[in-house]
Every structure is written in structure tokens, then in C-alpha cells.
């Protein structure tokens, strides 16, 4: 069982907007630790998608955005494309530990 | 461009020690302040953080480690700055330790560099 809770799956049609939630607690997200998001395509290593709650690394399309409030964070993807079909993970910190969400599989219908 | 490459045996027998090395190229491992982590992923499952080691060319805390509590008694991480390598040792392995093992670098803004991962199977 992961420290951060994500929905196992989400889906959307091309062009639509989807959100993926990441729920933590007062010992991790809620205490102020940053949340980062990763995209993992099949058979590849995870790729940093959002860092510091809301920031996109160079090269990540602005269709991807992150937010954080209280003990939760969210990843939003607008203008869904077929190539967005992947697993998405949130990550934060809990004292001296790094914690991940269980991952969310995004299916583009 | 920084690159990370994991290496080590792909097959380990139960009760033995798993040993992996992450070789860093494109920059010195101690040129900045970084956390080097090992993260694993069993087939079809999510990411599990194993632990991290801190490197800094200027800090007395360089070489300090943090491990996930569930594996702490079996994990050792170390750094060899002369070889630009980070190492992982996991003792007393069982089939539950079978996974793809990744090394990754966190500069304070998430893991922006990852190795390609290496599959380690625990089997007799």
C-alpha cells in the first residue's frame, strides 16, 4: 500500500481534459513537501513531468499542469493525445523518506 | 548531458546479496549537491523507493544515506567518486526482490535523470 494514494486508472477521449489526484497526509504533502509527477511509457524509465508542484521541465508541453492544495496534489492533462497513454506517478517526501503514489494508468479512448 | 547506467548480475540466488552499480557519465558525481537514489519496480507494479545517498563537493554530510524502513536492515548504498559510481547492495534476497532496478538523480527538484533500469531476477 502506497503512502500517496492515486486512482488506479483514468480515461478520456482525444482532445479531452483529465485529472489525476494524489492524496497524502499531514506528514508528507500536507507539511509542505513538494510534489513531483512522472510519466512512464511502456518499457521505459519514468520521465519527470512536473516538479515543485507546478513547474514543467524544458520540453514538457504546456498541456500538462500541476497543482497542490493541503494534503493533495493533482496533475491535469488537456487536449489529450494518443501518445499520452502511459502510467503516471506522483512523488513527495515524508521526513527523510521519498514516497511515491501507486500509479495511475491513463487510457486514451 | 548527464547519463546514468545500471549494471550488475541479472540473476541472483535466494538468500544471496544483490549488488548493482550505477555509473554516471557527463558530469562529476560530486560536482554539485545531489541525492542519488535506487528505485525498483516489480513487473506490472508501481515504483518503490529503496534509498538514497547524498553527495556534495563541499558538505560534511556528503555520503549520508536514507533508506526505506522496510528494507533498511538489508540495504547498503555507497559512492565511489573516483569511478563516478553509486552502488547498491541488498542482502538476503527472496523472490519478492525480483524487479527492474533504477538509479536516479534528485537535485532538489525531483528525479530529472534516470538510468534505463536493469532487471534482477531472484531464483535458484
Amino acid at each position: 500500500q502506497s503512502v500517496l494514494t492515486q486512482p488506479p486508472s483514468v480515461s478520456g477521449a482525444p482532445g479531452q481534459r483529465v485529472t489525476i489526484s494524489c492524496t497524502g497526509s499531514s506528514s508528507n504533502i500536507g507539511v509542505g513537501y513538494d510534489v513531483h509527477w512522472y510519466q512512464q511509457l511502456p518499457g521505459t524509465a519514468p520521465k519527470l513531468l512536473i516538479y515543485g508542484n507546478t513547474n514543467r521541465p524544458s520540453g514538457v508541453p504546456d498541456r500538462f499542469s500541476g497543482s497542490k492544495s493541503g494534503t493533495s496534489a493533482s496533475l491535469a492533462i488537456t487536449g489529450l493525445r494518443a501518445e499520452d497513454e502511459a502510467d503516471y506517478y506522483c512523488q513527495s517526501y515524508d521526513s527523510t523518506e521519498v514516497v511515491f503514489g501507486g500509479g495511475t494508468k491513463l487510457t486514451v479512448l | 548531458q548527464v547519463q546514468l547506467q545500471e549494471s550488475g548480475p541479472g540473476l541472483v540466488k535466494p538468500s544471496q546479496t544483490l549488488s548493482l552499480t550505477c555509473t554516471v557519465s557527463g558530469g562529476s558525481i560530486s560536482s554539485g549537491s545531489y541525492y542519488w537514489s535506487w528505485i525498483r519496480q516489480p513487473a506490472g507494479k508501481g515504483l518503490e523507493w529503496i534509498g538514497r545517498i547524498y553527495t556534495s563537493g563541499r558538505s560534511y554530510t556528503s555520503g549520508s544515506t536514507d533508506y526505506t524502513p522496510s528494507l533498511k536492515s538489508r540495504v547498503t548504498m555507497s559512492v565511489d567518486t573516483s569511478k563516478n559510481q553509486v552502488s547498491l547492495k541488498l542482502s538476503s534476497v527472496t523472490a519478492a526482490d525480483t524487479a527492474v532496478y533504477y538509479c536516479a538523480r534528485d537535485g532538489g527538484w525531483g528525479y530529472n535523470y534516470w538510468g534505463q533500469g536493469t532487471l534482477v531476477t531472484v531464483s535458484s
Side-chain angles (χ1 to χ4, degrees), chain A residues 5-12 17-22 37 75 77 80 84-89 101-109, chain B residues 44:
Chain A
T5 301
Q6 297 181 233
S9 63
V10 297
S11 63
R17 177 182 187 269
V18 297
T19 61
I20 298 173
S21 61
C22 175
W37 290 90
L75 172 70
I77 310 171
L80 263 184
D84 297 333
E85 189 159 290
D87 293 323
Y88 293 84
Y89 294 90
T104 298
K105 182 174 182 57
L106 169 62
T107 300
V108 181
L109 302 170

Side-chain angles (χ1 to χ4, degrees), chain B residues 24-95:
Chain B
V24 180
S25 59
S28 171
I29 202 168
S30 55
S31 63
S33 299
Y34 302 112
Y35 284 105
W36 303 87
S37 285
W38 287 94
I39 296 159
R40 68 181 183 181
Q41 185 173 36
K45 296 189 178 181
L47 302 170
E48 179 184 19
W49 181 75
I50 299 170
R52 65 185 181 183
I53 186 164
Y54 178 69
T55 62
S56 171
R58 297 182 294 174
S59 171
Y60 70 93
T61 58
S62 186
S64 62
T65 55
D66 297 302
Y67 303 134
T68 191
S70 63
L71 297 174
K72 188 174 183 177
S73 63
R74 299 195 289 132
V75 174
T76 303
M77 293 183 185
S78 60
V79 167
D80 186 334
T81 54
S82 67
K83 295 182 179 179
N84 237 29
Q85 292 178 336
V86 181
S87 295
L88 167 71
K89 291 188 186 301
L90 181 64
S91 64
S92 305
V93 297
T94 69

Side-chain angles (χ1 to χ4, degrees), chain A residues 2 34 36 38 40 43-48 50-52 87 89 91 93 95-103, chain B residues 37 39 41 44-49 52 66-70 102 106 108-117:
Chain A
S2 302
D34 281 343
H36 314 301
Y38 302 87
Q40 187 177 32
T44 68
K47 168 192 166 185
L48 183 63
I50 297 289
Y51 69 92
D87 293 323
Y89 294 90
Q91 177 245 307
Y93 307 88
S95 185
T96 58
E97 270 191 84
V98 171
V99 291
F100 283 98
Chain B
S37 285
I39 296 159
Q41 185 173 36
K45 296 189 178 181
L47 302 170
E48 179 184 19
W49 181 75
R52 65 185 181 183
D66 297 302
Y67 303 134
T68 191
S70 63
Y102 295 100
D106 179 359
W109 303 278
Y111 293 106
N112 57 343
Y113 290 103
W114 293 72
Q116 65 186 29

